[in-house]
Amino acid sequence: MLIGYARISTDDQKLDLQLDALNKTGCSKIFTDEMSGSRASRPGLDEAISHLRDGDTLVVWRLDRLGRSLKNLIDLTELLKARSVGFYSVTEGIDTNTTNGKLMFHLFGALAEFERNLINDRASAGRAAARARGETGGRPKKLDSKQRALVVKMYEDKQHSIKDICSILNISKPALYRYIAASKQIPVSLGISCET
């Protein structure tokens, strides 16, 4: 069974062109959305996917109607593949039920993986360059050195509960335990239990 999906992004666009193409392709059911393709959850697409069964094919007029990013397209087609569902894009002529269509999506997948690796490499290089300049990265500490010393003193005096200390200094329990462990220069996981 062919299940169609059509999407428009703005109110001034019309679904007619897409619906005509999907009907001409022979879709027995067509689901639609009128929203941006960058949204993770689209009710029409979710409903279309829920109707797909083993051996069915999801049909779109053009690839960009299914998703905005290559990663999003690959993720969706992997989901379809795991459910033994095919994918067909009318305009591009990509049909994952054919050998050529499968090749096209393998190429898309390879490109997406290459893009992810490039992003990771650039991020790693940026972190290494920052470390070489003496930057430590991460979020700055919420408390200054005097406040951190106060946390430790209040904890060791045992005059306040953990909850009270956290409330007074507006910090979380994990942050409190990190400050205490840092004052003793021991790993958080070894030094302080998380009991209140």
Side-chain angles (χ1 to χ4, degrees), residues 6-65:
R7 180 183 61 80
I8 55 173
S9 302
T10 61
D11 292 334
D12 62 338
Q13 292 179 330
K14 302 275 185 253
L15 284 166
D16 298 343
L17 176 65
Q18 295 178 55
L19 295 176
D20 290 347
L22 295 175
N23 282 317
K24 189 175 178 180
T25 304
C27 294
S28 54
K29 290 184 181 182
I30 299 173
F31 299 89
T32 64
D33 277 317
E34 294 185 17
M35 61 179 43
S36 170
S38 60
R39 284 203 168 164
S41 177
R42 288 172 270 159
L45 180 59
D46 294 342
E47 196 174 349
I49 290 172
S50 73
H51 276 76
L52 291 164
R53 300 292 177 254
D54 190 343
D56 288 349
T57 299
L58 178 65
V59 183
V60 296
W61 173 62
R62 212 169 62 197
L63 281 175
D64 67 350
R65 300 297 86 199

Side-chain angles (χ1 to χ4, degrees), residues 71-99:
K71 181 186 181 323
N72 182 241
L73 287 172
I74 297 300
D75 290 346
L76 284 169
T77 54
E78 286 300 317
L79 170 73
L80 298 176
K81 181 180 172 184
R83 295 181 58 186
S84 299
V85 171
F87 173 73
Y88 176 59
S89 173
V90 176
T91 304
E92 290 86 2
I94 296 173
D95 184 353
T96 62
N97 294 316
T98 67
T99 305

Side-chain angles (χ1 to χ4, degrees), residues 107-119:
L107 290 173
F108 284 162
L111 289 171
E113 184 177 351
F114 177 70
E115 181 183 20
R116 283 191 302 272
N117 290 338
L118 280 178
I119 290 167

Side-chain angles (χ1 to χ4, degrees), residues 111-186:
L111 289 171
E113 184 177 351
F114 177 70
E115 181 183 20
R116 283 191 302 272
N117 290 338
L118 280 178
I119 290 167
N120 288 338
D121 289 347
R122 285 193 297 266
S124 293
R127 286 189 298 271
R131 279 192 301 273
R133 291 189 306 272
E135 298 172 13
T136 56
R139 184 184 299 175
K141 296 209 183 300
K142 186 170 186 171
L143 304 180
D144 63 26
S145 59
K146 288 181 182 178
Q147 291 170 319
R148 291 194 299 271
L150 179 61
V151 167
V152 174
K153 183 178 181 336
M154 291 174 76
Y155 178 81
E156 289 176 348
D157 288 348
K158 300 193 187 309
Q159 297 295 315
H160 299 85
S161 69
I162 299 296
K163 186 176 179 181
D164 288 343
I165 297 170
C166 292
S167 178
I168 291 166
L169 293 164
N170 194 26
I171 59 172
S172 65
K173 283 183 187 180
L176 179 139
Y177 293 122
R178 281 193 303 274
Y179 292 135
I180 293 167
S183 75
K184 297 179 181 185
Q185 297 183 342
I186 52 176

